Amino acid sequence: GFLTDVYLGQSNVSSIPAGAYTDVNLNLKSATDVNRSPVYFMGLLDASNVIIETDKSNNEVLSRAVR
């Protein structure tokens, strides 16, 4: 199958303490050109790589298929 990433929006969070988490609510624009393939949402933290940290393995989150 063919995979395509479609940018839907972003949310800024001022800070998250080490070892903690935060919930983020997003208002996303509709991707009208998405075919009938399964849809997943991905969250990427520190996309610009500005936070100094030793472990970046927890900076990505992927949802289960939502369609």
Side-chain angles (χ1 to χ4, degrees):
F2 183 77
L3 300 177
T4 301
D5 294 337
V6 177
Y7 178 79
L8 298 176
Q10 72 180 35
S11 178
N12 295 315
V13 176
S14 59
S15 67
I16 303 172
Y21 68 91
T22 187
D23 292 327
V24 177
N25 294 313
L26 299 173
N27 292 317
L28 304 174
K29 62 183 179 181
S30 176
T32 57
D33 61 343
V34 175
N35 59 26
R36 300 307 302 164
S37 299
V39 173
Y40 300 86
F41 290 100
M42 181 180 80
L44 177 61
L45 286 76
D46 191 23
S48 300
N49 201 27
V50 297
I51 299 172
I52 298 170
E53 55 186 326
T54 58
D55 182 6
K56 295 186 177 284
S57 66
N58 63 348
N59 288 358
E60 295 180 6
V61 179
L62 183 64
S63 76
R64 67 180 193 277
V66 294
R67 182 188 67 194

